[in-house]
Amino acid sequence: MRVHQVRTLIHREEGASVSSTTSARPLRVAIIGAGPAGVYAADILTKSQEVQGGDFEVSIDLFDQYPAPYGLIRYGVAPDHPRIKGIVTALHKVLDRGDIRFLGNVNYGRDLTLSDFRTFYDAVIFATGAVKDADLNIPGIELEGSFGGADFVSWYDGHPDVDRDWPLDAREIAVIGNGNVALDIARVLSKHADDLLVTEIPQNVYEALKRSPVTDVHVFGRRGPAQVKFTPLELRELSHSRDVDIVLYPEDFDFDEASEQQIASNNQTKTMVKTLTNWLVEQPEDPSEFTASRRLHLHFLHSPVEITDSPETPGKVANIRFERTRLNGAGSVEGTGEFLDYPVQAVYRAIGYFGSELPEVGYDDRAGVIPNEGGRVIDESGNPVPGIYCTGWIKRGPVGLIGHTKGDALETIGFLLEDRLNLPPAEHPDEDAIINLLEERGVRYTTWEGWLKLDAHELKLGANYVHGDGSLPDLIRERVKLVPREEMIAISRGE
């Protein structure tokens, strides 16, 4: 690459004196995590005024533990979301430019350590997200038939490291949570499997959902309709499911002063409350007049208390108990002392994601994040760790929509640019050096060119799809997502 200026790097190591080196080479940056947060960070850095203006050049490697890119978009969002295609298209354009190198199927902490990254890169950005479920500490949560929502999402999205079988034998199901993930789970559980075939849903997921005996899916939230965390689009998508009735309960529609203020001041809340109240007014008063074969119930002002089994099915979910709550006037709720029981055979908790601890990096086990200040990773004393950064959910926690990670990345990259003259210089900054190490260690890494091969293969599977029983002759599938990791790797690498 053409060099625009000489950088002075200050390398500080514990117990060593400060030394300076000059380098006529690109700044080497590793980003760990190729989901939206990682891709946005790479894109913002390459488009920064400093890089575009010629102050310095940058060389970015984007790593992911999976053989394919896109992270949460590929393995954390329901397959029937049309807007996701737009996000994938945007991420594809960034990675297809050729100025960011993708290296998949590389596991941080196993294939490469932090010491390795510091040897080959001047700066390291963690964008690993949050993939596990937040805990729900109530009695009975450990019973058979009690599941984490994130695990279920990984299953129906074809995560390569999740068992391909899922127990779908419940007729009545409870989903705890009032966010987008809770609605995704409820929609996938209640939707007829044939209606998901137009998506990229893996074949094993379709077959399991096809066998599901489900009749009723109940979604429970602690607060009222004006405090829900899902978005209007998510809510409206519930009404698009064929042969699924949405059932609401008048006693759940309580609005205190704080609710009224929220409705008046927030257009999104106003839209959702209007949609819900319209559905309530329009639904049949007599339950027998609901005609669909499946029902999706939306409950508010319910706080989970206990999950229990039964003498007939010991050790398995048979019932869930809630305490009715009431709004307290300040936007939150309090218990009423009234308890309600619902017979269910499965419970899915979707109360949020939680970040995982990473080797050799600090961890805040209360927030599930890497300790940081604006994206600069800090040590136990609160001092910035030179050259180490984070962005996305592992930086700020699993809140907000995908688009919010752009703001995170902008802040983090801003600090990296500010620090760039004082970063610990890589000992082996040559772009081929990390490839040589991966090959020496026998890591079967994948590339962007490999993803294009896998992408074409999945599209071809969709184009050639023939429904197993010969029905649905007019079905057109855009793609069929592959699940087995080994098959994904082999196709990507041309093996």
Side-chain angles (χ1 to χ4, degrees):
M1 289 185 177
R2 185 162 50 88
V3 177
H4 295 292
Q5 78 167 41
V6 176
R7 288 193 300 122
T8 299
L9 300 174
I10 308 300
H11 189 192
R12 296 184 177 91
E13 294 182 349
E14 187 175 352
S17 59
V18 175
S19 64
S20 65
T21 63
T22 58
S23 175
R25 62 170 175 82
L27 182 76
R28 290 283 284 145
V29 178
I31 301 177
I32 303 172
V39 177
Y40 289 150
D43 189 41
I44 289 170
L45 180 54
T46 59
K47 292 179 178 177
S48 65
Q49 181 178 345
E50 293 83 348
V51 173
Q52 292 294 307
D55 291 351
F56 73 101
E57 289 194 3
V58 66
S59 170
I60 302 173
D61 286 341
L62 187 65
F63 292 85
D64 204 279
Q65 63 179 320
Y66 309 127
Y70 305 145
L72 177 69
I73 297 297
R74 184 170 169 91
Y75 295 122
V77 180
D80 57 346
H81 274 320
R83 76 175 188 274
I84 297 306
K85 293 179 182 179
I87 298 175
V88 169
T89 299
L91 298 180
H92 179 100
K93 288 180 179 178
V94 172
L95 295 180
D96 203 43
R97 292 196 311 247
D99 56 349
I100 300 165
R101 184 167 63 176
F102 171 71
L103 296 171
N105 198 42
V106 180
N107 194 301
Y108 170 76
R110 183 190 67 195
D111 299 324
L112 293 175
T113 65
L114 182 58
S115 298
D116 293 327
F117 279 105
R118 303 205 71 157
T119 298
F120 295 95
Y121 298 92
D122 305 302
V124 181
I125 303 173
F126 287 93
T128 51
V131 296
K132 68 179 183 179
D133 286 285
D135 291 333
L136 178 62
N137 295 315
I138 61 173
I141 197 69
E142 77 289 345
L143 289 174
E144 182 181 343
S146 172
F147 306 106
D151 293 334
F152 184 59
V153 171
S154 294
W155 174 76
Y156 68 58
D157 271 333
H159 192 295
D161 301 328
V162 173
D163 195 308
R164 299 183 71 183
D165 295 321
W166 191 274
L168 288 170
D169 52 6
R171 295 180 62 85
E172 299 158 304
I173 299 171
V175 179
I176 303 173
N178 255 180
N180 285 341
V181 175
L183 292 195
D184 281 352
I185 291 169
R187 193 179 63 256
V188 170
L189 285 168
S190 60
K191 206 166 188 174
H192 289 274
D194 284 348
D195 295 335
L196 287 166
L197 276 175
V198 294
T199 74
E200 63 181 21
I201 189 170
Q203 188 63 19
N204 67 294
V205 175
Y206 163 73
E207 292 170 357
L209 290 171
K210 182 74 172 177
R211 296 190 297 268
S212 171
V214 65
T215 59
D216 293 84
V217 177
H218 299 262
V219 181
F220 296 94
R222 291 179 61 252
R223 298 191 290 176
Q227 290 82 37
V228 295
K229 296 297 184 183
F230 43 75
T231 59
L233 177 61
E234 293 276 353
L235 181 62
R236 287 193 295 267
E237 284 181 357
L238 294 183
S239 64
H240 298 162
S241 296
R242 177 183 60 86
D243 190 35
V244 179
D245 280 328
I246 297 174
V247 184
L248 296 154
Y249 297 86
E251 61 270 24
D252 291 344
F253 283 73
D254 185 22
F255 302 98
D256 61 359
E257 183 177 345
S259 299
E260 297 289 354
Q261 292 176 352
Q262 176 72 6
I263 294 169
S265 62
N266 188 292
N267 287 332
Q268 178 168 296
T269 302
K270 183 186 300 182
T271 298
M272 288 189 293
V273 169
K274 181 179 180 180
T275 299
L276 288 166
T277 52
N278 284 345
W279 287 353
L280 177 64
V281 170
E282 293 168 1
Q283 76 178 19
E285 293 185 11
D286 186 346
S288 65
E289 294 182 20
F290 287 103
T291 58
S293 65
R294 296 179 177 181
R295 290 159 296 280
L296 200 163
H297 308 253
L298 298 179
H299 303 268
F300 305 101
L301 303 174
H302 281 65
S303 180
V305 174
E306 182 182 16
I307 304 169
T308 58
D309 56 6
S310 70
E312 294 76 23
T313 57
K316 297 182 178 181
V317 171
N319 184 83
I320 184 166
R321 171 167 290 191
F322 291 88
E323 181 180 11
R324 286 285 295 180
T325 60
R326 61 177 165 234
L327 299 169
N328 64 7
S332 189
V333 295
E334 59 190 14
T336 64
E338 177 187 358
F339 296 91
L340 299 172
D341 291 288
Y342 293 86
V344 295
Q345 300 81 51
V347 175
Y348 291 78
R349 66 184 184 277
I351 57 172
Y353 285 83
F354 205 75
S356 301
E357 186 172 3
L358 298 166
E360 301 183 81
V361 184
Y363 182 66
D364 182 342
D365 58 6
R366 288 175 297 179
V369 299
I370 296 173
N372 72 94
E373 291 182 353
R376 286 184 174 121
V377 173
I378 58 175
D379 60 21
E380 293 180 355
S381 300
N383 299 314
V385 181
I388 307 298
Y389 303 86
C390 59
T391 189
W393 280 4
I394 199 63
K395 167 188 172 182
R396 63 181 170 87
V399 293
L401 301 176
I402 291 171
H404 293 154
T405 58
K406 287 185 179 179
D408 281 336
L410 190 62
E411 181 183 49
T412 296
I413 295 304
F415 282 125
L416 189 155
L417 291 169
E418 186 178 307
D419 300 340
R420 72 182 187 276
L421 297 179
N422 297 309
L423 296 173
E427 295 177 23
H428 302 290
D430 185 85
E431 291 183 352
D432 292 334
I434 190 67
I435 299 298
N436 294 336
L437 179 65
L438 291 172
E439 291 179 348
E440 287 173 10
R441 293 181 177 177
V443 179
R444 296 167 66 211
Y445 64 89
T446 60
T447 63
W448 178 248
E449 293 72 21
W451 161 247
L452 295 179
K453 294 177 184 177
L454 179 58
D455 184 40
H457 180 82
E458 291 185 344
L459 291 171
K460 185 176 180 180
L461 289 177
N464 296 337
Y465 182 82
V466 176
H467 197 51
D469 61 6
S471 62
L472 307 176
D474 297 328
L475 176 68
I476 298 176
R477 300 200 65 182
E478 182 177 345
R479 73 165 65 232
V480 177
K481 186 186 290 183
L482 282 184
V483 179
R485 178 183 282 266
E486 286 301 311
E487 189 174 354
M488 293 171 64
I489 296 169
I491 292 170
S492 298
R493 291 173 59 89
E495 298 175 347

